[in-house]
Amino acid sequence: MIDGVIVTPLNQICDDRGKVMHMLREDSPVFLRFGEIYFSCTNAGAIKAWHKHKKMTLNYAPIHGSILCVLYDNRPKSKTFGHVEEYVLSSKNYSLLTVPPLIWNGWKNIGSETSIVANCATIAHDPNEIERKPFKDQSIPYDW
């Protein structure tokens, strides 16, 4: 596993009325601080990649649909430098994926309907602390 990345299985409480999907609590070992929560919707087959944050820790939870989330570690001093990892996230495989700063990440919607991923980020969005690359960027060793 890429250094600093954490996968936390999450609970869903279901009954005949529907369900409750837990995401993140203040007493969780992965909770650092609250910055903002947002929901990223991705159309079927679409790719949202690549980006990395300089300061923000991401806490992704898939609340609808299925995505293939890919991480790439190019931090020169990291013990997992050069590693690429894939995670299939869905409500059936319901987990919280915690991604530390400076890890390139992106995903592809691998389902047949729009996916919705919640992110409980540690800081509010700041366009000056994010770096982006196109999904076909050759500096990242991954072919979507």
Side-chain angles (χ1 to χ4, degrees):
M1 185 169 291
I2 290 177
D3 189 34
V5 173
I6 301 167
V7 177
T8 307
L10 296 174
N11 292 325
Q12 296 187 65
I13 302 168
C14 304
D15 65 23
D16 60 344
R17 301 167 298 161
K19 65 182 173 179
V20 172
M21 301 171 76
H22 286 254
M23 181 178 174
L24 188 59
R25 295 167 46 119
E26 68 178 337
D27 59 354
S28 167
V30 299
F31 180 79
L32 299 174
R33 63 177 290 220
F34 176 77
E36 73 172 323
I37 294 175
Y38 65 84
F39 302 92
S40 182
C41 301
T42 308
N43 294 332
I47 298 169
K48 287 189 172 182
W50 294 99
H51 75 278
K52 74 174 178 180
H53 291 274
K54 299 172 189 171
K55 300 175 186 173
M56 182 187 292
T57 295
L58 309 167
N59 289 289
Y60 291 146
I63 61 172
H64 185 76
S66 300
I67 65 164
L68 173 66
C69 185
V70 181
L71 308 179
Y72 172 58
D73 185 359
N74 77 334
R75 300 170 295 175
K77 295 182 180 180
S78 171
K79 61 185 175 184
T80 54
F81 174 78
H83 288 214
V84 174
E85 292 181 350
E86 298 177 321
Y87 298 88
V88 174
L89 303 175
S90 71
S91 59
K92 293 178 182 158
N93 178 28
Y94 190 53
S95 299
L96 183 72
L97 180 64
T98 302
V99 182
L102 303 175
I103 300 292
W104 287 100
N105 69 98
W107 63 69
K108 179 178 183 177
N109 180 336
I110 57 174
S112 59
E113 56 190 5
T114 299
S115 66
I116 304 172
V117 176
N119 180 20
C120 183
T122 56
I123 63 173
H125 176 73
D126 174 357
N128 296 315
E129 75 85 47
I130 190 172
E131 188 176 337
R132 297 181 187 277
K133 292 184 180 196
F135 77 91
K136 291 185 177 184
D137 192 282
Q138 296 297 310
S139 68
I140 298 177
Y142 191 80
D143 184 8
W144 293 98

